[in-house]
Amino acid sequence: MIRLVVFVLILFAVAAGFAWLADRPGAVAVDWMGYRIETDLTVALVAMVVGVLLIMFTWWLVRGLWNAPGS
């Protein structure tokens, strides 16, 4: 029960953080190798979170395959 309450509180905090960011307009501009990429702050943050989650999943998959028992 305590885990559920902690999970809900963390979920609420993350949602409140995203709502706070959505209410404040902002922009991110990246100049890299002659290209200029411009996007909203919220889109950049979501892309960064998705990127980190993909890296974590890939690391978990590689570790699982590396430590799997061989035949």
Side-chain angles (χ1 to χ4, degrees), residues 6-62:
V6 170
F7 176 75
V8 169
L9 287 175
I10 291 172
L11 190 64
F12 177 75
V14 169
F18 274 112
W20 182 81
L21 280 176
D23 287 341
R24 283 143 183 85
V28 175
V30 178
D31 290 321
W32 186 44
M33 295 177 50
Y35 293 101
R36 181 169 178 89
I37 302 169
E38 295 182 18
T39 186
D40 295 334
L41 180 64
T42 307
V43 173
L45 184 64
V46 169
M48 190 171 62
V49 168
V50 168
V52 168
L53 289 175
L54 283 174
I55 290 170
M56 289 172 60
F57 175 75
T58 304
W59 181 256
W60 171 78
L61 189 63
V62 168

